[in-house]
């Protein structure tokens, strides 16, 4: 490699983080060196001199400087990290990995080093090895889009397209203007045979390229779009209802939202943040034990970011007795904790525990409606309960201060600034919900019994803490009340009469029956290899059990069941939607 | 200075007539295809706003609407051949002979078909001809 070429490559690597698709390989952002360096004195100066030399293309001289820095300070992770970067540039990937390993030994909390090591493995096409490092980087710094992008691309290289798409979508949330990420998602959807979504994402990539004046990229995106139109037809339809939920103009940029919520007492009411459900007309509540129940918004307070949802039916799994505490009694320095579903696409769908203290009884700019807390809040934690030490809900975890935004504003990186809405506002909102008895929410403090330690408490409470998934879906029917023990309040004179309410419910029930039967028909049409006969039978039986009486589709469903008799017994796992899922 | 300007004008005019020269100036069919690709996904009305009304429109067998844009021009290129032409003199019925230069006529054509879906979005294109060239994307 001659000097000029080296300089060009180095300039590209250091100055411009670029994602590209190279011969079917999902490329990644190049080496990152954003680790905070607390070292001072001569080792630091030597390291910085090395970086200057590297930027000038003098790679070998740069390495010498890093070596000198390390000789003065053997436990200098940043120098090892930068040395590894140079080795990556020199395509000495195994040597680079050694240096990154050393850097990680010295500082296991630097996402840059994990990213760089992931990049080395990626270059070696050892994607399985790269994956855990990219994952670790995301966990350490979840608010950085490039790390989600790296993880996503690694998944794509492993042909794990759905997980890749999920990670890339996280990257988009943090960096909406990166057309390359949209391109990669489009490519992944194409691999999955999802023409509708592939077209949607490549169009968006093209639009962004055009707005940035990158006409060569506009042309390339157009070429890919033309290929997709020819492959899938002019107007490919979304494959299933969940994808329809993401269609343009109906969805919030095609994204499914997730957040946390919690049931108070044994009620059917779920408390969450307003921003979790904002704009959604399809809300599903997922319980720890796997149950999934549709919900609707019955009260919302946008200003204070609180919403109350009503479940369409009572959960089968027993719920604990989470009670609402008095946020006015909370003191600065008090220990608090939360349980929620942060970044469920990466960390999985099991609840996660985090703890901290109350930094302040006021929030951002002394907002009296918020607590400032040290409990780390990640995307997906929003709407979760903030418990006091004695197990009472004193708030709803809401937001964390954006490190990137703060850095842009103040020039400094804030550490662990998080906020929760005070329970005061939950109580106020609950009082507006007719049919909700205040006594159920246990407003009076209920001390946890001495036998009930923290782990026991969490064990009993975690089924009250739910994962909320939202989508904009105009094709889905309105909320359907199917629970038999629904309470019809006649106390409020403005409410419709009981008779009208019953008629309304009957109509809704009819809609529900028709809708579910239609789904059964679609299911029956699926090949047995996709949806096993046994699962088909189960679904039909569930339908028959749910609506044994006054069911206009009863006979047809029974016939459907009899048609399945004698069919193969092979059991295949059914994946109902092609929504990105975490393995 | 004037000489330089003249030579540039001459080069530009020459390039109009000679495709190979046009290619040297960056006018290629590859570039034309790149430009067409930038239109894929855009609505036909946007194209009509920029390119003007098409010469023709029809429905393809696959059901797509097809808009046809056609450009052609005939270029006369002078050759070295000169033919003798007899010119009759009116007053004495005699003839004089004079030389006339021969020209080759070349037709430059570019036909572009733009296909749209039901929504009017451009989904495909095709071109044919010997003059579907363009300069590079800027």
């Amino acid at each position: 490699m001659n000097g000029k070429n080296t300089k060009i490559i180095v300039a590209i690597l250091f100055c411009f983080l670029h994602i590209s698709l190279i011969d079917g390989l999902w490329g990644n952002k190049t080496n990152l060196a954003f680790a905070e360096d607390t070292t001072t004195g001569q080792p630091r100066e030597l390291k910085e001199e090395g970086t200057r030399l590297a930027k000038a293309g003098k790679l070998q001289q740069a390495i010498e400087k890093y070596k000198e820095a390390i000789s003065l300070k053997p436990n200098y992770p940043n120098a090892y990290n930068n040395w590894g970067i140079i080795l990556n540039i020199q395509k000495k990937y195994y040597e680079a990995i050694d240096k990154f390993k050393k850097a990680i030994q010295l500082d296991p909390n630097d996402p840059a080093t994990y990213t760089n090591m992931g990049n080395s493995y990626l270059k070696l096409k050892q994607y399985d090895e790269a994956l855990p490092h990219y994952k670790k980087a995301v966990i350490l710094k979840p608010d950085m889009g490039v790390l989600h992008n790296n993880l996503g691309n690694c998944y794509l290289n492993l042909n794990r397209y759905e997980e890749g798409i999920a990670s890339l979508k996280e990257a988009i949330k943090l960096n909406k203007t990166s057309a390359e990420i949209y391109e990669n998602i489009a490519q992944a959807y194409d691999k999955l045979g999802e023409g509708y979504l592939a077209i949607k994402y490549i169009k968006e990539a093209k639009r962004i390229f055009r707005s940035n004046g990158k006409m060569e990229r506009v042309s390339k995106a157009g070429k890919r779009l033309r290929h997709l139109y020819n492959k899938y037809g002019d107007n490919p339809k979304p494959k299933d209802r969940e994808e329809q939920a993401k269609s343009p103009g109906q969805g919030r940029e095609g994204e499914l939202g997730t957040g946390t919520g919690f049931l108070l007492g044994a009620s059917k009411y779920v408390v969450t943040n307003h921003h979790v459900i904002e704009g959604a007309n399809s809300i599903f509540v997922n319980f720890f034990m796997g149950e999934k129940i549709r919900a609707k918004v019955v009260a919302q307070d946008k200003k204070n970011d609180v919403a109350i949802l009503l479940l369409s039916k009572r959960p089968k799994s027993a719920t604990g007795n989470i009670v609402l505490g008095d946020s006015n009694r909370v003191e600065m320095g008090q220990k608090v904790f939360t349980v929620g579903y942060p970044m469920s696409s990466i960390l999985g769908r099991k609840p996660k525990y985090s703890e901290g203290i109350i930094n302040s009884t006021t929030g951002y700019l002394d907002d009296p409606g918020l607590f400032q807390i040290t409990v780390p809040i990640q995307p997906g934690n929003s709407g979760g309960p903030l418990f006091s030490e004695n197990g009472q809900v004193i708030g709803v975890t809401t937001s964390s201060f954006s490190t990137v935004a703060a850095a842009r504003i103040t020039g400094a990186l804030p550490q662990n600034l998080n906020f929760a809405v005070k329970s005061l506002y939950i109580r106020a909102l609950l009082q507006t919900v007719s049919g909700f008895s205040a006594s159920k929410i246990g407003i009076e403090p209920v001390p946890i019994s001495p036998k009930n330690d923290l782990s026991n408490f969490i064990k009993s409470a975690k089924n009250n803490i739910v994962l909320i998934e939202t989508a904009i879906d105009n094709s889905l029917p309105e909320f359907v009340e199917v629970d038999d023990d629904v309470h019809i309040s006649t106390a409020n004179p403005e409410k419709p009469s009981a008779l009208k309410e019953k008629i309304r419910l009957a109509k809704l029930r009819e809609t529900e029956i028709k809708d579910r039967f239609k789904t059964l028909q679609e299911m029956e049409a699926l090949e047995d290899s996709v949806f096993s006969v046994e699962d088909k039978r189960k679904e039909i039986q569930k339908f028959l059990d749910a609506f044994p009486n006054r069911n206009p589709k009863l006979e047809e469903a029974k016939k459907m069941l009899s048609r399945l008799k004698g069919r193969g017994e092979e059991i295949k796992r059914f994946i109902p939607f092609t929504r990105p899922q975490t393995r | 200075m004037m000489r330089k300007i003249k030579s540039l004008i001459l080069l530009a005019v020459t390039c109009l007539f000679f495709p190979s020269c046009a290619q040297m100036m960056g006018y290629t069919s590859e570039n034309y295809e790149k430009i067409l690709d930038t239109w894929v996904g855009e609505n036909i009305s946007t194209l009509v706003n920029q390119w003007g009304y098409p010469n023709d429109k029809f429905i393809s067998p696959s059901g797509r609407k097809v808009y046809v844009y056609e450009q052609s021009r005939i270029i006369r290129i002078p050759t070295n051949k000169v033919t003798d032409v007899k010119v009759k003199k009116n007053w004495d019925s005699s003839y004089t002979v004079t030389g006339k230069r021969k020209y080759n006529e070349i037709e430059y054509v570019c036909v572009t078909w733009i296909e749209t879906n039901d929504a009017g979005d451009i989904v495909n294109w095709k071109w044919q001809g010997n003059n579907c060239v363009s300069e590079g994307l800027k």
Side-chain angles (χ1 to χ4, degrees):
Chain A
M1 192 185 295
N2 63 37
K4 193 182 174 187
N5 283 346
T6 311
K7 277 184 188 176
I8 292 166
I9 291 166
V10 170
I12 290 167
L13 290 173
F14 276 89
C15 301
F16 185 67
L17 298 174
H18 177 73
I19 321 163
S20 60
L21 286 165
I22 309 155
D23 300 332
L25 167 75
W26 274 278
N28 256 348
K29 299 270 186 183
T30 51
N31 303 303
L32 301 169
F34 52 70
E36 195 184 343
D37 193 349
T38 52
T39 302
T40 53
Q42 207 184 346
R44 172 77 175 262
E45 284 167 17
L46 285 164
K47 189 212 78 176
E48 287 180 356
E49 177 61 20
T51 307
R52 273 193 292 277
L53 288 164
K55 285 180 182 176
K58 296 170 182 173
L59 302 183
Q60 208 49 49
Q61 290 175 41
I63 286 176
E64 294 307 318
K65 292 293 172 191
Y66 294 139
K67 281 181 183 173
E68 280 181 53
I70 289 164
S71 68
L72 291 174
K73 189 186 175 191
N75 58 344
Y76 195 2
N78 303 65
Y80 278 106
N81 177 59
N82 289 9
W83 187 355
I85 291 173
I86 303 296
L87 291 168
N88 260 356
I89 294 167
Q90 292 177 329
K91 298 184 181 177
K92 296 173 181 174
Y93 302 121
Y94 288 106
E95 288 176 53
I97 288 165
D98 278 346
K99 299 296 170 265
F100 295 134
K101 277 182 181 168
K102 184 72 185 171
I104 287 170
Q105 267 177 12
L106 297 168
D107 178 9
N109 294 315
D110 179 7
T113 321
Y114 290 98
T115 299
N116 295 336
M117 185 136 83
N119 288 346
S120 302
Y121 282 118
L122 192 82
K123 290 285 182 187
L124 291 164
K125 300 195 176 177
Q126 295 178 12
Y127 308 123
D128 281 320
E129 295 290 334
L131 189 66
H133 299 294
Y134 287 133
K135 272 188 184 173
K136 182 76 180 175
V138 166
I139 290 164
L140 287 169
K141 202 165 176 64
D143 59 351
M144 194 163 185
V146 61
L147 303 182
H148 290 277
N149 176 71
N150 291 345
L151 178 61
N153 286 342
C154 189
Y155 275 126
L156 299 185
N157 280 308
L158 285 163
N159 297 333
R160 289 163 66 172
Y161 300 115
E162 291 183 355
E163 289 153 292
I165 289 166
S167 289
L168 292 172
K169 283 184 177 177
E170 289 290 334
I172 282 178
K173 279 183 196 168
L174 296 160
N175 183 9
K176 288 186 192 302
T177 56
S178 176
E180 290 88 351
I181 303 176
Y182 285 92
E183 267 191 328
N184 286 355
I185 294 177
Q187 179 100 333
Y189 273 128
D190 186 21
K191 293 275 184 188
L192 288 169
E194 308 278 3
Y196 171 82
L197 291 169
I199 287 172
K200 182 182 147 195
Y201 276 89
I202 198 70
K203 271 186 172 177
E204 186 59 17
K206 187 166 170 277
R207 189 192 65 75
I208 297 169
F209 280 133
R210 187 181 287 278
S211 68
N212 295 336
K214 295 179 178 173
M215 294 312 288
E216 282 285 347
R217 301 302 297 267
V218 172
S219 177
K220 279 184 183 167
K223 189 175 183 177
R224 190 166 293 165
L225 186 55
R226 188 158 55 91
H227 160 77
L228 291 171
Y229 276 128
N230 289 334
K231 183 174 175 183
Y232 295 105
D234 294 351
N235 296 302
K237 295 282 180 284
K239 275 196 168 175
D240 57 40
R241 283 166 36 148
E242 193 151 351
E243 282 168 15
Q244 284 164 10
K246 299 179 242 170
S247 58
Q250 293 180 335
R252 196 165 36 208
E253 294 187 347
E255 303 297 331
L256 284 175
T258 61
T260 302
F262 56 99
L263 272 85
L264 285 167
S267 73
K268 292 198 300 175
Y269 292 91
V270 176
V271 179
T272 188
N273 277 139
H274 179 268
H275 76 258
V276 170
I277 51 83
E278 189 174 17
N281 57 6
S282 177
I283 303 169
F284 288 95
V285 169
N286 297 272
F287 285 80
F288 168 65
M289 298 300 283
E291 198 174 357
K292 187 172 189 172
I293 300 174
R294 184 176 275 237
K296 73 169 179 179
V297 180
V298 288
Q300 50 187 311
D301 176 356
K302 188 173 181 179
K303 190 182 167 198
N304 294 304
D305 201 6
V306 184
I308 312 292
L309 314 178
L310 175 60
L311 298 174
S312 62
K313 62 180 181 181
R314 216 172 275 281
K316 285 175 190 164
S317 42
T319 48
N321 188 29
I322 288 184
V323 296
L324 202 59
D326 185 353
S327 53
N328 288 332
R329 295 185 188 178
V330 175
E331 303 271 337
M332 195 162 72
Q334 195 175 314
K335 283 186 180 171
V336 285
F337 63 92
T338 189
V339 178
Y341 296 86
M343 303 169 70
S344 55
S345 63
I346 299 166
L347 302 178
R349 295 166 75 90
K350 300 289 178 202
K352 308 286 182 294
Y353 168 88
S354 322
E355 61 181 16
I357 59 159
I358 299 279
N359 293 117
S360 169
T361 52
T362 58
Y364 178 65
L365 294 177
D366 287 332
D367 184 343
L370 297 172
F371 289 123
Q372 185 192 318
I373 53 176
T374 61
V375 179
I377 297 179
Q378 319 288 2
N381 265 122
S382 290
L386 182 72
F387 291 105
S388 64
E389 211 173 5
N390 64 357
Q392 293 173 359
V393 175
I394 53 161
V396 182
T397 55
T398 300
S399 58
S400 60
F401 204 70
S402 164
T403 316
V404 177
R408 279 190 195 132
I409 296 164
T410 65
L413 291 171
Q415 299 291 317
N416 208 14
L417 290 181
N418 310 292
F419 301 99
V421 180
K422 290 180 179 175
S423 60
L424 173 74
Y425 297 100
I426 307 172
R427 190 185 307 175
L429 193 61
L430 281 168
Q431 283 166 358
T432 68
V433 179
S434 65
F436 188 90
S437 164
S439 62
K440 286 180 186 173
I441 62 175
I443 288 170
E444 291 305 314
V446 182
I448 299 167
S449 68
K451 288 178 185 175
N452 198 5
D453 61 11
L454 182 63
S455 58
N456 280 337
F457 172 77
I458 293 170
K459 201 174 177 182
S460 67
K462 70 183 172 188
N463 209 33
N464 281 51
I465 300 164
V466 293
L467 169 65
I468 295 173
E469 289 178 312
T470 61
I472 314 295
D473 185 356
N474 294 332
S475 67
L476 288 174
E478 286 297 300
F479 173 74
V480 179
E481 198 78 62
V482 291
D483 197 4
D484 292 330
D485 62 355
V486 61
H487 302 289
I488 300 162
S489 169
T490 53
N492 187 344
E494 286 176 13
K495 288 209 74 133
S497 69
L499 181 62
K500 278 186 179 174
E501 187 66 6
K502 279 181 182 174
I503 292 168
R504 187 181 73 82
L505 292 176
K507 281 183 180 172
L508 289 171
R509 183 177 181 276
E510 199 175 320
T511 314
E512 163 88 355
I513 289 171
K514 281 181 185 169
D515 185 55
R516 285 184 62 173
F517 184 73
K518 196 178 168 192
T519 311
L520 289 182
Q521 284 177 315
E522 288 168 2
M523 176 199 73
E524 192 193 14
L526 290 172
E527 286 183 14
D528 294 348
S529 59
V530 177
F531 200 138
S532 75
V533 173
E534 190 180 315
D535 284 342
K536 285 179 183 175
R537 281 197 202 113
K538 275 183 193 169
E539 290 299 317
I540 298 166
Q541 196 56 54
K542 270 188 208 169
F543 175 76
L544 292 171
D545 293 344
F547 305 103
N549 304 313
R550 288 177 290 125
N551 179 351
K553 301 289 180 186
L554 194 70
E555 288 307 312
E556 285 181 72
K558 282 179 181 173
K559 279 180 190 171
M560 196 185 280
L561 194 61
S562 65
R563 279 199 292 274
L564 292 171
K565 276 183 184 171
R567 292 263 286 270
E569 293 299 323
E570 190 186 4
I571 297 169
K572 298 265 181 182
R573 192 170 70 86
F574 171 56
I575 303 167
F577 299 115
T578 53
R579 181 172 52 75
Q581 292 176 346
T582 306
R583 285 178 198 171
Chain B
M1 185 66 183
M2 277 305 288
R3 177 180 277 184
K4 198 172 181 183
I5 291 169
K6 274 181 185 172
S7 59
L8 277 174
I9 291 169
L10 184 68
L11 179 69
V13 171
T14 314
C15 284
L16 281 176
F17 300 117
F18 295 99
S20 58
C21 179
Q23 279 172 15
M24 281 169 64
M25 294 285 286
Y27 285 80
T28 63
S29 52
E30 286 78 15
N31 285 338
Y32 187 64
E33 289 183 353
K34 281 183 183 176
I35 283 175
L36 291 175
D37 274 333
T38 66
W39 283 103
V40 179
E42 305 294 324
N43 197 275
I44 188 68
S45 59
T46 319
L47 184 86
V48 170
N49 277 341
Q50 283 205 23
W51 285 21
Y53 285 105
N55 300 66
D56 198 4
K57 193 176 97 173
F58 61 89
I59 307 286
S60 76
S62 62
R64 284 174 175 173
K65 277 185 186 167
V66 183
Y67 297 80
V68 187
Y69 285 87
E70 192 171 343
Q71 277 185 317
S72 71
R73 60 166 180 258
I74 294 168
I75 305 295
R76 296 178 77 213
I77 301 169
T79 65
N80 292 328
K81 282 189 177 176
V82 179
T83 51
D84 292 337
V85 177
K86 286 179 181 175
V87 179
K88 188 179 177 183
K89 287 181 180 174
N90 286 329
W91 60 91
D92 61 358
S93 302
S94 64
Y95 291 88
T96 60
V97 175
T98 181
K100 189 179 180 184
R101 187 169 292 278
K102 265 200 162 183
Y103 288 86
N104 282 337
E105 287 188 350
I106 299 174
E107 188 173 12
Y108 288 102
V109 183
C110 178
V111 184
T112 309
W113 293 272
I114 305 286
E115 296 180 22
T116 64
N117 62 12
D118 293 342
D121 293 336
I122 295 166
V123 293
N124 201 8
W125 51 258
K126 279 183 177 59
W127 64 263
Q128 205 169 56
N130 57 359
N131 198 34
C132 292
V133 292
S134 176
E135 60 180 336
L137 288 165
K138 285 171 186 170

